Amino acid sequence: MEENGKESFVLSVCMLAYNHEKWISKSIEGVLMQKTNFKYQLIIAEDCSNDRTRDIILSYSKMYPDLIGVLFNKNNLGLAQNFSQALTICKGKYIALCEGDDFWTDPDKL
């Protein structure tokens, strides 16, 4: 499904992450387990964590390059600016939010 040379997504899951090393894997896995009949993407905006959050996100993005897009900030932007920047790279018609320290348990959430 392409539009003007760009892949089109029905939905973007926007995830903000900052020092979420303990939870980020579970949060990403909750998005990856979603059962849908439409194309979706996961956009993760990592805001210069000082733990292993960035490394964990990077490993998932390498495993799922067609599904996960990552924004690694060069400087800590703070919640509002990080969220605003993340929204600019979400390509879905609809946007769902899942924080990096939250997780979904229902595969039919979307």
Side-chain angles (χ1 to χ4, degrees):
M1 192 176 356
E2 292 197 14
E3 237 174 67
N4 300 329
K6 293 185 179 180
E7 214 164 343
S8 64
F9 297 95
V10 173
L11 181 124
S12 295
V13 178
C14 183
M15 182 178 291
L16 304 181
Y18 177 71
N19 287 344
H20 291 147
E21 175 183 3
K22 294 179 185 178
W23 310 280
I24 194 70
S25 290
K26 199 167 186 179
S27 184
I28 293 170
E29 291 289 337
V31 175
L32 295 176
M33 76 172 180
Q34 294 302 301
K35 298 176 188 170
T36 66
N37 60 359
F38 54 85
K39 191 156 181 73
Y40 71 97
Q41 67 175 166
L42 170 59
I43 298 298
I44 306 172
E46 201 285 322
D47 203 18
C48 293
S49 299
N50 53 28
D51 61 7
R52 291 189 56 249
T53 301
R54 186 172 286 229
D55 297 332
I56 295 166
I57 293 168
L58 185 59
S59 80
Y60 275 98
S61 69
K62 287 180 179 177
M63 286 189 286
Y64 301 95
D66 295 335
L67 178 64
I68 299 176
V70 182
L71 172 62
F72 288 124
N73 295 325
K74 292 179 183 174
N75 301 305
N76 182 275
L77 301 178
L79 178 66
Q81 234 182 331
N82 190 33
F83 180 58
S84 177
Q85 200 164 317
L87 289 177
T88 66
I89 61 173
C90 290
K91 302 298 180 200
K93 180 177 179 180
Y94 303 101
I95 296 175
L97 303 176
C98 182
E99 296 294 331
D101 61 351
D102 195 4
F103 54 90
W104 297 341
T105 58
D106 184 352
D108 296 314
K109 178 166 180 69
L110 296 179

